[in-house]
Amino acid sequence: MIGRLALALVHQPVLDRSGAVVSAAVTNLDLHDIARVARTFGAGRFYVVTAAAGQQHLVARILGHWREGFGAGYNPDRREALSLVETVPDLDAAVAAWGSRCGAPALPLLTGARRSDGIGFGAARELLADRPLLLVLGTGWGLAPELFTHGWPVLEPVSGGSDYNHLPVRAAAAIILDRLYRSGT
Amino acid sequence: MIGRLALALVHQPVLDRSGAVVSAAVTNLDLHDIARVARTFGAGRFYVVTAAAGQQHLVARILGHWREGFGAGYNPDRREALSLVETVPDLDAAVAAWGSRCGAPALPLLTGARRSDGIGFGAARELLADRPLLLVLGTGWGLAPELFTHGWPVLEPVSGGSDYNHLPVRAAAAIILDRLYRSGT
């Protein structure tokens, strides 16, 4: 079931700390950590969303090092994880690519640490049983509001039961996949 | 209950990729990510274990920047998370410090991705109900064998149900705290 789940890490449009809509820079460790988490839980693909040519080039260089260059021989486990990564210019392209891979339309499942309109993890698993799902994570201070105007479902925030609501996107990705995967929960 | 849980990130003794016992370097992002995860789930302390003076100095510089320097005003949320961090020279010092803070002896709970002798998360929660627990995470290729000779309990590895067993320590910390915190699971 989890095989029809993919992840998208959106670098634009996202918010910055002031609430402005910006393009965020790609972080090397986001690629590694989220690819390894995706591979661990059997997610099918990890789309890195950025339209900036320089950023796409950076991702290509990182992937080249680990998938074909020195890193591929030095750390084959890393190569295996990073083989899931694909760069796309916008979220629509990620949705289309994942749907095309699965042979069925993919549904984006948005995330946001401050959303109060989210569905639970049980409901998300039910969606996933029906159709390919693209879990959409935002960098910076989160996905821009315009992404929430399409009627796509939103996943409830990961809460730790405290008043602190500032998980790294890398940690949120790990916890969300663990919760989706552990179908007993 | 989770308030009597602390984390220790061990940089020595740990294994390298060849299985040799080494001291690993401190990674800036480990401090940030694991501190934010600890704060999110209400863990009481995050001990960074390294005996190397240069590494202790590095941690002190990072903490100084975010707790008192420019970063403290720029990003108060980060200051709040990093306020949990304390540097200690070895694991015994972390156990002693956490026990002293709690006013009761603390029990280390070891972790390892390749251990087959681990207790389940339910059993770990029962331990935590009884006494202060120190969740011990290894950097590099994991905690050195000598740490497993004291009779301390070991937590079962985080499995994603796949054959891939290479989670970042940052992701493992996030998933473990989420599982310990979510007492229904």
Side-chain angles (χ1 to χ4, degrees):
Chain A
M1 179 182 86
I2 199 87
R4 301 223 299 176
L5 180 72
L7 288 83
L9 184 67
V10 174
H11 295 82
Q12 65 178 104
V14 295
L15 299 177
D16 72 4
R17 64 167 55 239
S18 75
V21 176
V22 297
S23 297
V26 171
T27 302
N28 177 47
L29 208 81
D30 284 351
L31 302 188
H32 285 266
D33 275 21
I34 297 177
R36 291 164 74 184
V37 165
R39 178 65 187 81
T40 298
F41 288 98
R45 213 72 185 143
F46 171 28
Y47 297 98
V48 175
V49 180
T50 177
Q55 295 289 302
Q56 292 178 351
H57 181 66
L58 172 66
V59 176
R61 278 192 60 193
I62 294 169
L63 296 179
H65 175 80
W66 291 103
R67 299 208 297 214
E68 291 131 39
F70 175 79
Y74 180 72
N75 194 336
D77 301 323
R78 207 57 68 90
R79 177 183 58 195
E80 191 178 338
L82 289 171
S83 70
L84 296 175
V85 178
E86 189 171 325
T87 310
V88 290
D90 54 42
L91 185 54
D92 287 346
V95 176
W98 182 232
S100 172
R101 266 192 178 256
C102 294
L107 179 69
L109 176 60
L110 305 176
T111 60
R114 284 168 295 279
R115 304 296 301 194
S116 57
D117 55 350
I119 63 172
F121 284 82
R125 276 191 295 268
E126 286 173 22
L127 284 178
L128 189 53
D130 280 345
R131 57 191 294 188
L133 220 58
L134 182 67
L135 181 71
V136 184
L137 303 157
T139 56
W141 268 251
L143 298 169
E146 66 189 78
L147 297 178
F148 293 90
T149 62
H150 300 277
W152 294 329
V154 179
L155 185 63
E156 65 178 336
V158 172
S159 164
S162 75
D163 59 342
Y164 190 84
N165 188 21
H166 306 282
L167 275 182
V169 68
R170 298 169 288 279
I175 292 169
I176 290 171
L177 260 63
D178 186 52
R179 289 188 183 182
L180 289 177
Y181 171 75
R182 285 158 56 84
S183 57
T185 70
Chain B
M1 179 182 85
I2 198 84
R4 300 224 300 177
L5 180 71
L7 287 83
L9 183 66
V10 174
H11 294 82
Q12 67 181 104
V14 295
L15 299 177
D16 72 3
R17 62 167 55 239
S18 75
V21 176
V22 297
S23 298
V26 172
T27 302
N28 177 48
L29 208 80
D30 284 351
L31 303 187
H32 285 265
D33 275 22
I34 296 176
R36 291 163 75 184
V37 165
R39 179 64 188 81
T40 298
F41 288 99
R45 211 72 184 146
F46 170 27
Y47 297 97
V48 175
V49 180
T50 178
Q55 295 289 303
Q56 292 178 350
H57 182 67
L58 172 67
V59 175
R61 279 192 60 193
I62 293 170
L63 296 179
H65 175 81
W66 290 103
R67 300 208 294 213
E68 291 130 40
F70 175 78
Y74 180 74
N75 193 337
D77 301 322
R78 206 58 67 92
R79 178 182 58 195
E80 191 178 337
L82 289 171
S83 71
L84 297 176
V85 178
E86 189 172 324
T87 309
V88 290
D90 53 40
L91 186 55
D92 287 346
V95 176
W98 183 233
S100 172
R101 269 196 176 249
C102 293
L107 179 69
L109 176 60
L110 305 176
T111 60
R114 284 168 294 278
R115 303 296 298 193
S116 57
D117 55 350
I119 63 172
F121 284 83
R125 275 191 296 270
E126 285 172 24
L127 285 177
L128 189 53
D130 280 343
R131 57 193 294 188
L133 219 57
L134 181 67
L135 180 71
V136 184
L137 303 158
T139 55
W141 267 252
L143 298 169
E146 67 189 75
L147 296 177
F148 294 89
T149 62
H150 301 277
W152 295 329
V154 180
L155 184 63
E156 66 177 337
V158 172
S159 164
S162 74
D163 58 341
Y164 190 84
N165 189 20
H166 306 282
L167 276 182
V169 68
R170 300 169 288 280
I175 291 170
I176 290 171
L177 261 63
D178 187 52
R179 289 188 184 183
L180 288 177
Y181 171 74
R182 285 156 58 83
S183 57
T185 70

